[in-house]
Structures are given as structure tokens and as C-alpha cells.
Amino acid sequence: MQWLTDRYKYLFSSTKGLILVAIALIALVTATWGMLSGPMAEMGVGQVVASFLSMDLVQAEREGRIVTLYHVIAMAVIAIETYMVTSLVKMKSVYKTTINATITVGYIITMLSGLGFAYFGHSGALHGIYISGLTLIFFAGVLMVIALWPWNKEYHQADPAYARTKGGVDLERAAFFTTALTTLLSALFGAIPGANFGNGFQVFLAENVIRYTGKTVLEYSVIGHLHIMLALIAIMITLIIGRWLNFKGILHKIAMPLMILGTFVLNIGVWGVVTPFQPIAHMIIYVGATPSMLAALLLLIWSWGKLSRDHTAHIAKPNFFQRVSGLLRDPLKFGPTWQMLFMNFTTSGLGIFMAVKLDEIFRVWPAREERIELTGHWHVLSAIIATIILLYYGDIVGLKGKWRQIYGWGIIIASDIALAAVTIFEMKRLFISEAEQQPLVNGLMYAMDFGLGLLLVLLAGMLVWRLIDLFKSKGRWTEEQSQELSQEVIP
Amino acid sequence: MKRILLTAALLTVLLAACAPVDLNAAIPAYDTGVDPEAWAQIPAGEFFSGQHNEVQSTAAYEIMVTNVTTAQYAAFLNAALADGTIRVEDGRVSGFYPGDVFRGYKHEERIGAGDYIYIPLDDPSQRVKYDGAAFTVQPGYENHPMTMVSWFGARGYCEFNGDRLPTELEWEKAARGTDTRPFPWGDEIAHGNANYYASRDPFEDMNTFGSRTSPVGFYNGKTYDGYATLDSASPYGLYDMAGNVWQWTGDVYENMHYRFMRGGSKDTYNMDLRIWVRNNATPTYVSPGTGFRCARDSQ
């Protein structure tokens, strides 16, 4: 019994254990449910899985199932970010404990009951429990906003190397606070129309209503919600990575106000789609996205400089190649910001290109082609966020030496191959006709399958290693029980 | 050695991705036994429309049992060329369209009165050929659905014959009947039901040219050279109301220039074959995966 209690305590009360559980559950859901769609579906695997698990896949309910599945996975990701924030950012331990406990119960309930409701018959009770889970997560968010209150003197920033106001308010903390607060408000932005649509089971996917005129306020709200939530998850992971790498100095002082401003304006723009400002909402969103992305760029510049300097400190005058070598020495520290840069090629840059060329190119394509581009680019963004979390997790669990290199570079290279292929796939109509596309599509599919497959193998390897470790009486888990991420911030 | 092998494997994949597609690869010829000249009677009355089963109704009408074939379209082009309804110039066939009301809505484009493309003639995917005097069909494709045809070209065909394109509601009712089925033949989809992406039909080869159209009415329960199809007619006896080619519909909606298509195609996943799924494009759009059928008021 003690054996079980110890492990339970590690998995559900320590930061590192909680992160491990959430990653494992996401991996399990992704691996299982991923088999229901291409390329596994074409091979017939999807049907076998659905039949084996006795899934109830009514054709008319596909969109509802997908919406639930996205929420289930997203809630676990939000839980991981929450654990990271409560472990990295100073707050009262009572808040930390309560927030972590609440969100853990919330996302697990959401996951179990959401999937149960969507895929295994429509029990109204399960839907109710699913909503309760989401509510708990929201409540954990409320607590986090309170815990992150930046004007509390106890949390003022004394070190002049970090961004702060004249009065000493820690601007990095304020950025965490702004992101958490706007995440809560934007969650409501989805919850209200969600309650309306869910009540009548008239669910829809945003990508299926593009080009329709006369969208209702609630439809706009759903579309805004999904965009802003993903953007806020991305902003939060950027702040987390900055804290882990100990972002500071002049660039930090410029970046944090930009991040706060960007986050706030971005949200205003998205909320604006349901107001009379709808016609200019996109312009406000661009205005908000620019400082946020600039802040991430400053983090990248600072961190690359630091990594390069740190790893060439033993050389009196390092040349260019030695500096680059130093930058690339640790894939787990280089990877997160590299992925942020890569994101600009696959997501942000593409999104801007689409917006600029909308009437000239993309709206000339049939809606289904535009849908591929839309769904592709935000799947890529989600995957990039996931890889950043996995890279950071590799450091959290203390990967060293050869395995650190294999795991880190494996994730970076595998994901970048897959996501670059997705990006080319999305844009293929720019350079190849429908009739002639098949060989290119096949090549891209191979690249995607190879990249994503390798990524999943690495993740599976990591999880199996952690599982084996749990069976050891003095495994790594015993050390991790009391470790906090704030203790591992890079000096 | 490992690096060389890996590099070689990657290069092979990349080179394979750049391989040209033989758009004229041999295609199996089958007589489906379904008459493309046949029409189905759809009675007036209510039916369930859309994913959420809204009750809608239509007047009585008739609709073609199959999509318009390339042979039918070539015959139309020859007749229309003879009486001056269409023009052939700059590698395309065009005809007159009286235009839409333009309201200047966001993203709306003006469709004024004038000549618009019916079909391109210089596209290698075009199965209807023009030799300077007459239109003919590439052998083997005579009973395949007419593709590479714009909305204007689809409308032009129907109007030339005194018919029209079906409205979306008419199309949906003809595909679904009066119950709530997601596919014209019932609740689930199997490879033998329709021509869709990776459906393993005799007309596709996903390693080379990918998907191709199947003859109209192919999925009628017959077995062709060992390939068994399921009888996939809609409740009113229409074929190919899911898969093979997207089908242009006739509605012109306020505030938008887009025209809507229904039915999914040889290039889409089976989810897009569900009856309520809509696609849309500018009316000049042509594709090897888009065709049409006509409707007319009940006589």
C-alpha cells in the first residue's frame, strides 16, 4: 500500500509528477484518437480501433466529437502550463496547492467525461460532468489570477536587471497576470456560445463556415475564442520559457511591456469581433500580435546570445563557427526558441501571407482548399507548442549527455520535417494543379508520417523510461518529489 | 553507411515527389448500365435538411439520375457552337451570363453581364477536346462525369436544354429522401459505396496519378472485373450523389459571388461525402473533381 501511496503522492502532488501525468494522458489520447483519422483511417486501422473500443461514431456528430476532443487535449495542455507557472513564479503555497489540485481534478474529469460523452454514447450525465470539469479549470484560473496579482509588494522586483516599473512592480509577473486574466475572459468568450450551441446540439467547426455571410454574434464568438485561446497558450509558454532561461537585461525590459501590451490589444481585437468594431477587428489583432511576436523575438535574440556565450566561455575569442556550435550544443535550451522562430515560417508568416493575399489567391481556391490551409496552420501551431513543452520537459527530467542530444535534436528535426511538409501541403495549390499533385502529396505525407512517427517514438521512449523508473524504489521520481522548477531556473 | 542510406532514402522520396503525372494513363472502361439520359421524379413535400435536420420543403421537380457525362457535354458544345451560344477563343469556351446583383459586401466580387468561361481547352485534365471544328471526348471517358467545367458552363448546359441547376435544397432532398440518413444509401460508408479519396476503386492509383473519376452510375451493385460495388443509389434512384465529383448547384446568394457544390468527390475524405457538407468556389473555378447535373420543374 505504501508503495502505491508514495507513487500517487509523487504523480499527483509534485510539480514534476503532475506534468508527467498530463503529458502521459495527452500522449495516450493522441495515440489512440489519432488512429481514427488519416493516414491510419485509410489503412483501415481507424475502423478497427473504433470497433475494438466500442466507439459510437455517428456521422452527424463528427463535428461535436472533434470539438470535445480538442477541448480535452487543450485542457491538459493548459494544466501543464499551469503547473509550470505555479512552480516557476512566486506565489503563496496555499494558492499553488489549491490551483494545482483544482486544475488536476478539472482536466482529468474533463478528459474522461468528455471522451465518454463524445465517443461512447451520449450520456447527459457525462456531459454535465464534462462541464463541471471545465468549470473547475476555470476556477483554478481565477485562483491563479489572484495568486499572480502583480501589485502585491511582496512580489515586487528588487533586481534592476529585470523589467519593472518605477514603483517596483515586476513586469514579467504582470505579463503572466495579463495572460492568465485574458485567458479567463477569453474562455468565457467561448463558454457562452458553447452553452448555446451545446444546448441545442447545433455544433459547428469554424473552418466550415468561412465565406458564409451573416454569421451570428455567437458564431463569431466561437471563431474568436478558438483563435485567441491558442494564441494565449502560445504566449504563456513563451513567458514560461523566458522564466526558465532567466530572461533578463535590457531586452527583457523592452520585451515585457511589449508582451503585456500585445496580449491586451490582441484580446481586445478578438473580443471586438462581436462588437460594432468587427470590421476593424482584424486590424486590431495585427496591431496586438506585432508587439507580442516582437517580445518573443527579443527573447530569442537574448537567449541565443546567452547560449552561445555560455558554451564558448572557455574560449578567449570564439570565432563565428565556435559561436554557432555553442548555440547548438544544448538542443533542449536552443530548441524552444528555435521552434518559436520556425513557427513564423509555418504559422505566423503564413497567416499574414494569407491575410494579405486573401481575395487574390486563397478566396479563388474552393472553400475546402482554404479549409486545409486554415486547419493545417493551427494544427502546426498546436504541435509547435507541444514540442516546446516536450523540450522543456526533457530538461525538467534531467536528461543528460547522449540521450539529451538524441531526445532534443530528435524532437526538433522530426517535428520540423513534419511541420514543414504540412506547410507545403497547405500551400501546394500555389505551385501544382489538382490533377498533378499526387506524387507531391505522397512525398509530403511520407515526410509528415516520418516526422510525427519519430516524434511519437521519442515521446513513447521517454514515457516508458519514466514508467520503468516508477517501479524503482529509489528511482528518479523520489528526487523529483520535492523539486520545483524555480530551483532549476538557469543562473 | 547509415547516413548514406538515410540520405539516399530521403532523396528517393523527394525524387518520387517530383515525378510527373501521366494524365492520360490507361483507364478501365466499364458499361454501368445506368442511362445518363434518365431523370428522377422528386415529389413536393417536406424533408430533413442539413446536419441538424431542419425541416424544409420543395415543390415537385425532376433531376438527372446521373451527373452530366463528357459525351453529353461535348454534344451540347457542338450544338451550342453551331447556333452561336458559345464562343471558342484563347484556349477556352465561353458563353454569356446576365450577371448578378452586386452589393459590395465584404469579399464580394462583381459578376457583371458578359461572357464567362465554360471550360478551358488547354488544360491537360480536360477530357473534351476541340479540333478546330468539333468537340469530341477523349476515348475511355465518354461515360465519365463532365469535369473541368465552371459554374457558368454547368448552368449554360442546363439552360441550353431548357433545364436549370438544382438548388441546394433540391439537391439535398434528391440525395437524402425524407429521412435523416447521412449518405444517399444509408448510415455508413464503405469502399464499395462511392469514389472518394483512397477508396481503392479501379480508377485510382495513389502511388502515381491518384484519384480519377468513375463512370456515372458505377456504384450500382454490379461487379466489374472482380471489383464489387454496393448499390448506392439515393432513395429516389440517383447515382453518385456522394463522391466522384462535387456538383455545382444553382443558388445565387445575396452578398457573395461564391457558388456552392455538394456531394464530395474522388479527392475528398469520406466525411465530405455526407449529404449536408457544402463546398464553394468562385463561379469560374474548374477542377477535375467538379461536375454537375441538371434539374427541372415537374412537367
Side-chain angles (χ1 to χ4, degrees), chain A residues 152-204:
Chain A
N152 187 335
K153 283 192 177 169
E154 195 182 336
Y155 302 124
H156 277 192
Q157 180 56 265
D159 189 339
Y162 297 91
R164 57 179 186 163
T165 64
K166 283 183 182 170
V169 173
D170 180 348
L171 287 179
E172 186 178 286
R173 187 183 189 87
F176 274 109
F177 170 80
T178 307
T179 310
L181 178 65
T182 51
T183 301
L184 275 184
L185 295 173
S186 293
L188 282 181
F189 200 63
I192 294 165
N196 177 69
F197 290 121
N199 198 30
F201 300 104
Q202 296 213 344
V203 69
F204 73 98

Side-chain angles (χ1 to χ4, degrees), chain A residues 55-87:
Chain A
M55 286 180 176
D56 185 12
L57 304 179
V58 176
Q59 291 287 347
E61 292 161 359
R62 178 178 180 275
E63 284 69 16
R65 288 195 296 273
I66 288 176
V67 169
T68 311
L69 181 60
Y70 288 161
H71 277 83
V72 159
I73 295 174
M75 292 309 110
V77 172
I78 284 174
I80 291 171
E81 289 197 346
T82 301
Y83 302 141
M84 289 175 171
V85 172
T86 58
S87 188

Side-chain angles (χ1 to χ4, degrees), chain A residues 205-270:
Chain A
L205 293 178
E207 60 267 25
N208 287 345
V209 298
I210 48 168
R211 303 184 178 185
Y212 292 5
T213 55
K215 285 193 263 294
T216 65
V217 164
L218 293 178
E219 283 170 337
Y220 273 123
S221 190
V222 166
I223 296 165
H225 166 75
L226 69 95
H227 280 86
I228 191 63
M229 294 312 283
L230 197 54
L232 288 167
I233 289 172
I235 289 172
M236 191 59 105
I237 197 66
T238 306
L239 289 170
I240 288 167
I241 295 299
R243 184 82 298 276
W244 165 45
L245 297 175
N246 202 5
F247 186 20
K248 60 182 169 184
I250 182 68
L251 296 183
H252 185 263
K253 292 177 185 179
I254 300 169
M256 287 307 126
L258 285 174
M259 195 62 106
I260 295 166
L261 176 73
T263 305
F264 186 68
V265 175
L266 194 59
N267 277 276
I268 295 290
V270 173

Side-chain angles (χ1 to χ4, degrees), chain B residues 1 6 31 49 51 56 91 100 114 116 122 126 167 177 184 207 212 214 219 228 245 247 274 276:
Chain B
M1 188 61 187
L6 186 65
D31 179 7
S49 168
Q51 187 169 11
Q56 297 278 3
D100 298 339
Y116 289 92
D122 53 4
Q126 182 57 265
T167 64
N207 292 319
R212 293 185 296 187
S214 41
Y219 292 91
V245 291
Q247 296 166 46
R274 293 174 302 168
W276 53 79

Side-chain angles (χ1 to χ4, degrees), chain A residues 373-396:
Chain A
E373 205 286 333
L374 290 169
T375 51
H377 98 273
W378 69 262
H379 272 84
V380 167
L381 178 55
S382 308
I384 283 179
I385 292 168
T387 60
I388 293 173
I389 289 173
L390 289 178
L391 287 165
Y392 183 20
Y393 186 68
D395 187 78
I396 285 173

